[in-house]
């Protein structure tokens, strides 16, 4: 990516797209520095990394009235943990850069002085690492039947590394609609004999889930999202992200 003017940061919070209701989003990640200076440090401080943390701060224009609005979703999420995915790529196309984590919605602030556009702001504290990854499914493509997404060369997993995945189901319509998404890997881009690495719980309404592998080494370098859909005239909009940490 070249230098970027922030005109459309895509923000997905569990099952809600907050893009049209936010005008500022900040991400931060840090590792505690723990002092290990000793008499053999030859006059210099020595540090090792301690616990890591990440935080998302966001704000925008307040709206309420249905589950897709920031007020309804914030009250439902406050004190809960779920996936957040944020990207400076307007389209959120497959392969676009995204940062995501599973996080606690820790604060929610709203309203201001008379005459002002009603604002909101909130803070989100990480429960998992902040992952730098890619979109594996775009938010604007409706799915009405079982299928598979585009393969991505995300890379193999060394021992101790994990594949992280977030699923944001943004809408579900039809009679008894259900979608069960999964993460598959393959040795090459043909996915001739894919292996299921993670399976999300079946979703029947808007919401978000996050999963990760157990740290076991995986030699497959290619990854994709696949899904099974059932119901009568079902249709789903969802975004999915993948990344190694």
């Amino acid at each position: 990516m070249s230098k970027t003017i922030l005109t459309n940061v895509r923000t997905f919070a569990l099952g809600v797209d907050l893009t049209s209701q936010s005008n500022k989003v900040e991400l931060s990640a840090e590792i505690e520095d723990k002092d290990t200076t000793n008499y053999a440090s030859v006059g210099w401080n020595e540090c090792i990394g301690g616990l890591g943390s990440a935080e998302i701060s966001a704000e925008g224009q307040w709206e309420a009235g249905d589950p897709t609005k920031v007020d309804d979703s914030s009250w439902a999420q406050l004190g809960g943990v779920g996936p957040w995915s944020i990207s400076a790529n307007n389209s959120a196309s497959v392969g676009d850069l995204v940062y995501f984590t599973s996080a606690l919605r820790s604060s929610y602030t709203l309203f201001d002085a008379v005459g002002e556009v009603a604002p909101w702001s909130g803070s989100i504290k990480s429960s998992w690492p902040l992952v730098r990854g890619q979109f594996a499914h775009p938010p604007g493509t409706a799915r009405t039947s079982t299928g598979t997404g585009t393969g991505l060369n995300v890379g193999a997993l060394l021992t101790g590394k994990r594949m992280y995945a977030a699923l944001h189901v943004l809408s579900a319509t039809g009679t008894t609609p259900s979608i069960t998404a999964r993460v598959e890997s393959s040795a090459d881009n043909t996915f001739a004999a894919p292996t299921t690495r993670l399976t999300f719980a079946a979703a029947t309404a808007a919401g978000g889930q996050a999963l990760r592998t157990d740290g076991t080494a995986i030699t497959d370098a290619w990854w994709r999202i696949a899904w099974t859909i059932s119901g009568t005239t079902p249709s789903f909009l969802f975004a999915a992200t993948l990344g190694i940490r």
Side-chain angles (χ1 to χ4, degrees), residues 195-243:
T195 301
T196 297
R197 302 296 182 177
L198 298 167
T199 302
F200 295 96
T204 59
Q209 301 178 51
L211 295 173
R212 58 186 174 185
T213 58
D214 62 6
T216 301
I218 296 175
T219 58
D220 290 350
W222 286 82
W223 300 77
R224 71 181 181 187
I225 293 288
W227 56 89
T228 301
I229 289 177
S230 63
T232 302
T233 62
S235 181
F236 290 89
L237 288 174
F238 65 94
T241 57
L242 296 173

Side-chain angles (χ1 to χ4, degrees), residues 14 82-83 165-169 179 199-203 207-211:
L14 283 73
L167 174 69
H168 304 274
V169 177
I179 183 170
T199 302
F200 295 96
Q209 301 178 51
L211 295 173

Side-chain angles (χ1 to χ4, degrees), residues 88-120:
N89 291 285
N90 176 29
S91 63
S93 299
V94 172
D96 280 351
L97 175 65
V98 64
Y99 299 88
F100 67 98
T101 187
S102 183
L104 169 72
R105 183 61 179 268
S106 59
S107 71
Y108 176 53
T109 304
L110 61 160
F111 298 158
D112 202 335
V114 62
E116 298 296 330
V117 175
W120 68 272

Side-chain angles (χ1 to χ4, degrees), residues 11-16 18 21-22 24 54-63 67 69-84 101-110 119-127:
T11 302
F12 301 96
L14 283 73
V16 178
L18 292 178
Q21 301 166 67
S22 58
K24 184 177 181 179
E55 182 174 352
I56 302 169
S57 298
E59 59 188 63
Q61 298 90 19
W62 178 87
E63 291 183 272
K69 304 302 184 183
V70 65
D71 191 68
D72 301 67
S73 62
S74 294
W75 280 112
Q77 296 167 12
L78 192 60
V81 174
W84 284 66
T101 187
S102 183
L104 169 72
R105 183 61 179 268
S106 59
S107 71
Y108 176 53
T109 304
L110 61 160
W120 68 272
S121 63
S123 295
I124 300 91
K125 310 285 188 178
S126 65
S127 294

